[in-house]
Amino acid sequence: MDVYAAKVLGGLGAFIAAIGFFAGWPASVVGVVLLYVALAELRIGVGEDRSKWLVYAISALVAFGIAQAALGFSLDRLRTWWELPARGLALAVGLAAWVAGWVLQVASAYRLRPILAALQSRTGESLFSIANTLYWWGSALAVVAIGLIIVAVAYILMGVGLIVAKTQ
């Protein structure tokens, strides 16, 4: 795969990952995998960091998906949820999945930091530095839902950065 195709694939993957935060976690998983393939093709970051970031990112997305399914996250569903006989179990599963997702999201941010720093130094594109900071703080704030919106913005900036980056 040539460099231009890898950049477009990575940009598309980052955009899909961002959209997946609103469309559903499977779309984010597809986007993260496409972004991983592009980073591997561009030979950005150490292979172990890339692989661990992929595992942590996908695990966090699945955990947040489980939490969303267990808790509902809609007022109507929350009202009917409290009427179910197993509401205590659903609450425990949802909260445990949310906390697990948060821990895994922070771990993915820790693994993504050197990858984005290497990408910025290789391309000279400052959007990767901003995306790096937003991904880190969004992951730290993912324990409250606003952090996931910040992570989605970081994915958008990664996508734009990959598409507009100059190849060397």
Side-chain angles (χ1 to χ4, degrees):
M1 178 182 311
D2 67 337
V3 175
Y4 180 75
K7 285 177 20 178
V8 170
L9 182 69
L12 180 64
F15 292 142
I16 292 172
I19 290 169
F21 279 95
F22 306 103
W25 66 270
S28 287
V29 169
V30 169
V32 165
V33 169
L34 290 176
L35 182 59
Y36 169 80
V37 169
L39 291 173
E41 284 294 322
L42 292 171
R43 299 188 188 356
I44 301 294
V46 179
E48 180 179 314
D49 279 341
R50 277 193 318 260
S51 298
K52 286 186 179 179
W53 166 72
L54 179 68
V55 169
Y56 288 139
I58 289 175
S59 300
L61 290 168
V62 170
F64 284 131
I66 291 170
Q68 182 181 7
L71 296 176
F73 291 125
S74 73
L75 294 177
D76 184 50
R77 186 153 181 210
L78 190 61
R79 181 188 57 77
T80 59
W81 174 73
W82 279 105
E83 297 168 1
L84 295 175
R87 66 181 172 260
L89 178 62
L91 179 64
V93 168
L95 291 178
W98 191 266
V99 170
W102 174 60
V103 169
L104 291 165
Q105 184 65 37
V106 170
S108 79
Y110 176 75
R111 290 295 178 181
L112 188 62
R113 286 182 76 82
I115 296 168
L116 288 178
L119 194 56
Q120 185 209 1
S121 68
R122 183 169 170 189
T123 63
E125 185 60 52
S126 63
L127 284 175
F128 296 119
S129 175
I130 298 167
N132 199 351
T133 303
L134 285 176
Y135 195 87
W136 178 257
W137 284 106
S139 296
L141 293 173
V143 73
V144 290
I146 191 72
L148 296 178
I149 296 171
I150 296 171
V151 170
V153 171
Y155 275 123
I156 291 170
L157 289 178
M158 282 184 238
V160 171
L162 278 167
I163 290 174
V164 302
K166 306 219 180 345
T167 56
Q168 296 178 4

